Amino acid sequence: MQWWQERVVYQIYPRSFKDHNKDGVGDLQGIIEKLDYLKALGIGIIWLCPIYCSPNVDYGYDISDYKNINPEYGTMEDFEELIEACQKRDIFLIMDLVINHTSDQHPWFCESRDPESPYRDYYFWLQGKDQKPPNNWTSFFAEDCWVYDDRSNAWYLHLFAKQQPDLNYHNPAVLEKIKDIMRFWLDKGARGFRCDVINVIYKESLANGKRKLILTGSEHYLSRPGMHIILKHLNREVLSQYDCFTVGETVFITPQVARDLCAPERNELNMVFSFEHMETDQYIVKWFKRRFHAGRLARALAHWQKELDWNANYLENHDQPRSVSRFGDDSPRYWQSSAKVLATLLLTLRGTPFIYQGEEIGMTNFDYTSMEQIRDVESRNVDRLAKKLGIPKKIRWNLIRKTSRDNARTPMQWSDEPEAGFSGGTPWIDVHHNYHQIHVAQQEKDPDSILNYYRTLIRLRANHPALLSGDFLLVEGNRKRIVFERSEKEEKLTILLSFSKKKQRVHRMGPVLLSSSGRLTYDGILLPYEAVILRGETS
Ligand code: ISL
Ligand code: CA
C-alpha cells in the first residue's frame, strides 16, 4: 500500500479553524497550535484549503498571488514553521491547487485586460455579437459565464464567480506557470495537492451548449480528452519527481473517467472525489433537497466502491452541509449516536478517509436566522437569482439554510469559552450557538464522545488489514440500515449501521470488534442509530 492509502486525511478550512492572533480570522499559527490535537486524533495528512493571497470573493479559491501567503493567515515564515511542525509529528501536508481560474485581481488578469498584453491569451477574451455574450453557457454559481469589460472591449469567461476568470489551457505559457507554482510548493515540503475542479480545466470548444437546467455548455469542458493530456504532462514533468500524491475534485464524473484518471499506468491523478453519494438527498440539483434515504446513500457508495479500486471517501467538506444534520439526526436525542454511525461508515469503507474539521465532534449545520449572516458568494448569488424569479423570502431562506456552504464554515468549536475558543476577537463568520454543548474540550474528557470514537476508529482501521485493504461487499442497504463486509484473506468484518430511531432485528453473528453503544456482545438486535462491527461473519 502507498502512504496516502494508509493514512487518514484531515481537511482544514484555515479561516475557520483556529485564530491565533485574535483578529477574528483563523491563521497558520492557529493550526500549529492545534497540531498535537490532530496527532492525537490519529490523522496522517492535512489538506489545507487555499492560504494564498486572495481578495476573498470565494475565500481563497480566487487567488491573486500563488506564491505568497494571504497576510490574514500569516507569513511565509509561518508556513515554513507549519511544515516543520508537521514533519516533527509525522504529518504530511497537501495544498489546494486552484488552477481552473485565478482572481480578477491577479496580475496576469489585470495585464490581460489590455488587448496588446502578452497575458491576453492567459484567459478567454472574446467578442460577442450584438451586445450579447459569446455563448450561452451558465456558471456554477447561478449567474452568467461572461463579463463584458469596457477597457478590453471584449468578454471574458468565468465558470465560477465573476471575479474568477478561467485560465486558457490552449496557451502553453499557462501550463508552464502552473508547473512552476507546483514545484514551488513541493520544494517547500508540501506532499501533494487536492486539485480544485480539475476536470473542467480544458475547454475543448466555446460553442453554444445544449440548454440545460444547470451548467449549459458543460459538454464542451467536462472531462475532455485535453484534460487527460494536461494531467499527464503535469505528472510527468512535476509530480513524478516528488514523493507526493494528488486527489482531484471531479464534478459530474462517471466511473469510467474516474478509473482513467486514477489508473496507475496512465500517470494522471491518484484519487478523485466523486459526488454521487452527495446527491442522494437532492432532486436534480443541490438546491432542491429531498428526504434523506440511507438506501440511496448505500447504493451510491457501493457503486463507487465497486467501480474503483481505491476511493477518496468523504461525507463532508467546506462546500457541503454538515453530515450529522443531513444524513444523521442532529436533535439532542440522536445527535451523538447518529454522528458515530456516520463516523463508522466513513472509516470502514475501502479507500482513504477524509475528515473535515469539526466532523470529528459532530458539528451541525448553522443556526443562523438571516441572510445578513451569510458570507458565501454562492449562497448570495442563489438568493439573488431566486429573488429575481419571484420566490418568496421564506422559501429562499429555507433553501439557503439547508444547502449553504456556510453550514460547514462556522468556526471550529474548541471550548465553551466566548466564541467557542476559536478567537479572542469577533469572528469573520458567526459561531454556532450550540458551542456550549458541542465542543472539543468537553469531548476530550468524555470517554464516550464522538471525538474519542473517531480516535478509536482510526486506530482500528490502522490495525485491521480487512479495513485497510480488504474487499468491500454491500450486503444490505435500505431506509433503516446499511450492512456491508470488508474481507482480506483470513479476516472478515461485518459492519452494521442503523439509520433508524427504532430497534431492529438484524441477524448477524460474531464477536463484537467495536460498537458505538459500547456493548461487547451482539444479540441480533441493532439499537437506534447504532453501529456495530462484527468479526468473522460470513454472508
Ligand atoms: O459547492 C458546490 C456545491 O455546493 C459545487 O458546485 C462547487 O462549486 C464545486 O464542487 C467546485 O468547488 C470547488 O471550486 C470552487 C470553490 O468555490 C469551492 O469551494 C471548491 O471546493 C471554485 O474554485
Ligand atoms: Ca487571525
Side-chain angles (χ1 to χ4, degrees), residues 438-457:
I438 303 178
H439 61 86
V440 171
Q442 186 278 327
Q443 297 197 23
E444 290 272 10
K445 281 186 286 193
D446 174 5
D448 292 329
S449 66
I450 300 167
L451 177 61
N452 279 312
Y453 187 70
Y454 266 91
R455 289 174 175 158
T456 306
L457 273 171

Side-chain angles (χ1 to χ4, degrees), residues 115-166:
E116 301 304 315
S117 159
Y119 290 95
R120 186 67 166 180
D121 288 338
Y122 273 49
Y123 299 88
F124 294 99
W125 285 106
L126 264 80
Q127 300 298 326
K129 251 194 252 144
D130 314 326
Q131 323 276 356
K132 286 219 202 82
N135 67 29
N136 66 349
W137 296 7
T138 55
S139 87
F140 280 75
F141 285 169
E143 54 186 358
D144 296 337
C145 267
W146 295 94
V147 171
Y148 185 76
D149 184 61
D150 284 329
R151 164 138 181 248
S152 292
N153 224 344
W155 302 75
Y156 69 82
L157 175 72
H158 66 94
L159 289 187
F160 293 86
K162 282 190 195 40
Q163 300 87 343
Q164 293 169 302
D166 280 49

Side-chain angles (χ1 to χ4, degrees), residues 465-480:
L467 292 180
L468 267 182
S469 57
D471 292 334
F472 171 96
L473 178 72
L474 181 68
V475 177
E476 227 191 329
N478 57 45
R479 209 179 270 285
K480 294 193 199 133

Side-chain angles (χ1 to χ4, degrees), residues 196-214:
D196 192 59
V197 287
I198 200 68
N199 66 323
V200 310
I201 57 174
Y202 190 76
K203 281 74 183 175
E204 192 174 69
S205 129
L206 293 172
N208 279 331
K210 267 200 269 17
R211 283 231 168 260
K212 285 195 290 239
L213 193 57
I214 49 157

Side-chain angles (χ1 to χ4, degrees), residues 176-205:
E176 288 309 307
K177 288 280 204 275
I178 299 301
K179 279 153 59 180
D180 179 52
I181 292 163
M182 291 168 75
R183 288 194 193 105
F184 178 83
W185 292 105
L186 292 166
D187 287 339
K188 284 210 176 287
R191 300 298 294 268
F193 299 100
R194 173 268 188 187
C195 310
D196 192 59
V197 287
I198 200 68
N199 66 323
V200 310
I201 57 174
Y202 190 76
K203 281 74 183 175
E204 192 174 69
S205 129

